[in-house]
């Protein structure tokens, strides 16, 4: 049944706008751990950067902190799924 997955994706996108960043990150981890959904998580990071992103001198003036963080989290998840399910 795909209903829990769809509800979690809706919760993830709603939490981007309505919840603190740490709750959004926790929902992203659930999406990655339970269903291995990297694309919605990366798109959510891009949306977070569009809404909340500010250029950081530490990153050379780039405002892609959430996108980079969630993309790295997705890569780690894909690697762990691949190695643990061998």
């Amino acid at each position: 049944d795909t209903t829990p997955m769809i509800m979690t994706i809706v919760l993830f996108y709603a939490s981007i706008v309505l919840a603190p960043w740490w709750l959004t990150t926790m929902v992203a981890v659930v999406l990655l751990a339970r269903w291995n959904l990297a694309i919605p998580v990366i798109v959510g990071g891009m949306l977070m950067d569009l809404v909340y992103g500010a250029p950081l001198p530490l990153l050379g003036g780039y405002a892609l902190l959430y996108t980079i963080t969630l993309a790295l989290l997705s890569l780690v998840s894909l690697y762990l799924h691949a190695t643990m399910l061998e």
Side-chain angles (χ1 to χ4, degrees):
D1 192 24
T2 61
T3 304
M5 179 181 65
I6 293 170
M7 293 301 293
T8 308
I9 292 171
V10 169
L11 175 68
F12 174 65
Y13 285 117
S15 72
I16 288 173
V17 180
L18 302 173
W21 66 268
W22 51 268
L23 185 63
T24 303
T25 305
M26 287 175 32
V27 177
V29 168
V30 168
L31 283 172
L32 290 170
R34 176 69 173 94
W35 294 287
N36 203 16
L37 294 173
I39 300 299
V41 170
I42 295 171
V43 170
M46 295 168 74
L47 180 61
M48 289 173 74
D49 281 328
L50 283 173
V51 175
Y52 305 113
L56 297 173
L58 180 67
L59 296 176
Y62 292 109
L64 301 174
L65 179 65
Y66 294 115
T67 304
I68 292 170
T69 303
L70 291 178
L72 289 175
L73 190 65
S74 297
L75 287 174
V76 168
S77 172
L78 291 171
Y79 172 75
L80 288 175
H81 276 275
T83 57
M84 294 179 83
L85 296 177
E86 275 186 352

